[in-house]
Amino acid sequence: MLQSRSPQRPDELLLEVEPTGAEGVAAAVGRARAAGRGWAAAPALQRSAALVAAAEALAGAAGEVTDLMVREVGKPASEAAAETARGVGILRYYAQQALDPDGETYPGPSPAALLLSRRRPRGVAGLITPWNFPVAIPLWKAAPALAYGNGVVLKAASEATALALRLAELLAPALPDGLFQVVPGGAATGTALIERADCVSFTGSVEVGRQVAIAATTRGIPSQVEMGGLNASIVLPDADPQRAAATIAGAAMGYAGQKCTATSRAIVVGDPARFTDALVAAVEGLAVGDPAEQRTVVGPVINEPARRAVLEAAEQAAAAGGRLLTGGRAGNGAGWFVEPTLVDRLPPDARLAQEEVFGPIAVVLPAADEDQAVAIANGVRYGLVGAVFTRDLDRALTVAARLDTGLIRVNAPTSGVDFHAPFGGEKDSSFGPREQGKAARELYTSTRTITVLPEGG
Ligand code: NAD
């Protein structure tokens, strides 16, 4: 049985449901494919209107969805409300994208001839998503898939199944029957979905993402795989240490660091003392506690293994010679709380500075100059987000241009995503086309080139 529990009150069972087996997944894909035929053939205006109605349905239930998000995945209430609002924005944005030009024309062999390319949907999009953005990630995949005429089957993370099922219920009245379905389950359900879908979009860990991309490629279907990050924020000597520290503290520890875009490494050029003191103060000033409270910034981590991973990473860093600047202990109470943790005096090749922990833990690394800072920032297998803090535009541009990441932020937190702009990383962080913005159409459509000649030439 699949169970979903509240991280702040693990005794609270939110959902118990039978995982969907291979036959159930095949049936769901079959229904989505059947519904998708009519949907793809319908006028684009109709698809657009349906997505607007879906946005309104979500907006109308925003309070309830936000509360469920707080309870099911422990996201602090203010962030959860912002995510629900973002979900509404995503649906509205792709409602408009459904009306965008769906092709291009090229010079043909004669003035009367047409040579054009047109996009068409792939069929059924199989979506496999993590628990940390349980509304935004399913929607930033599902909304473009639907806008461009596909059916959707979503396999959400088991930890966020109650939300995924509620989302499907809310959207159902706006969409044709069977077009958007959720199949509860874990790895086996995900594997079965890849076996049946016409394209796959995955977000999650590197280990699973790699397997997903291989399985999809073996079947000859396109995939898009968004994976982990180990994002660095480089602080140059001219940056205001207090301001940089406040921004980096929030990016590292907000939602207990459980974001692929969280800052895990602060790289300080020059003497790190002033910035480090400011960062410790900023982290210690973050409100930790019950995610249902508006002021909370750091709630619990998702489950006991996640808490253990953070505590073990802190212990291991200390054993390797690191200095625990703050945190490193489990929090009080029954939930999966762990103190926001900062470590310094570790070399850049230490485990904590090389592998994603996915919790409220970050490392401060000194760098002698910009060259060394860039080398440290790029010296990991991930390449999702890189940030630079400085008041000098010239240096900002020069350093930013050398970062091997898909997203670059200047004087801004590494966390934070704009759904109307392309999103994705380099190296082990991403595989396949970018998602979000107009880039999303690369996965959810294919292009046909069409030649039309007047009769007789
Ligand atoms: P995960 O890889 O454990 O699971 C992700 C999804 O894959 C879940 O739905 C899971 O049930 C499913 N799954 C697991 N094994 C599978 C298999 N063999 N075949 C098919 N599906 C399978 O990740 P998680 O713990 O849910 O999320 C945390 C990870 O997600 C972190 O590494 C984080 O960095 C990453 N993440 C990345 C982004 C991004 O956009 N780059 C965004 C959010 C989270």
Side-chain angles (χ1 to χ4, degrees), residues 128-163:
I128 302 175
T129 54
W131 45 265
N132 64 335
F133 286 92
V135 167
I137 293 180
L139 285 180
W140 81 46
K141 297 178 189 297
L146 294 169
Y148 302 133
N150 299 277
V152 168
V153 177
L154 166 66
K155 208 295 293 164
S158 40
E159 296 88 343
T161 304
L163 266 164

Side-chain angles (χ1 to χ4, degrees), residues 22 39 49 89 107 138 189 210 240 257 292 306 324 335-336 344 359-360 402 409 449 454:
W39 177 249
T189 309
R210 283 272 171 87
D240 177 338
L324 217 53
W336 308 127
D344 72 350
R402 296 169 68 195
R409 320 263 294 172
T449 303

Side-chain angles (χ1 to χ4, degrees), residues 386-413:
V388 188
F389 289 79
T390 177
R391 278 179 271 203
D392 182 335
L393 182 60
D394 198 53
R395 296 175 88 191
L397 291 172
T398 319
V399 172
R402 296 169 68 195
L403 294 175
D404 287 340
T405 54
L407 300 152
I408 291 180
R409 320 263 294 172
V410 175
N411 298 321

Side-chain angles (χ1 to χ4, degrees), residues 252-291:
M253 306 300 172
Y255 189 28
Q258 300 172 115
K259 299 175 188 175
C260 56
T261 53
T263 297
S264 310
R265 300 175 295 148
I267 302 171
V268 192
V269 177
D271 180 2
R274 273 207 317 148
F275 170 79
T276 304
D277 289 349
L279 185 63
V280 171
V283 166
E284 288 179 346
L286 296 173
V288 181
D290 183 350

Side-chain angles (χ1 to χ4, degrees), residues 39 47 51 54 87 90-91 94-95 125-129 134-155 167-168 171 175 179-182 201 224 435-436 440 443-444:
W39 177 249
R47 291 201 297 275
L51 287 172
I90 289 167
L91 285 164
Y94 283 107
L127 312 181
I128 302 175
T129 54
V135 167
I137 293 180
L139 285 180
W140 81 46
K141 297 178 189 297
L146 294 169
Y148 302 133
N150 299 277
V152 168
V153 177
L154 166 66
K155 208 295 293 164
L167 207 54
L171 269 44
L175 301 171
L179 188 70
F180 175 65
Q181 292 174 67
V182 172
S201 181
Q224 165 186 71
E435 57 183 341
Q436 307 198 55
L443 180 71
Y444 299 114

Side-chain angles (χ1 to χ4, degrees), residues 344-365:
D344 72 350
R345 297 192 182 158
L346 281 177
D349 62 354
R351 195 159 134 209
L352 185 60
Q354 288 291 322
E355 288 301 325
E356 184 189 49
V357 179
F358 215 59
I361 184 163
V363 59
V364 180
L365 301 164

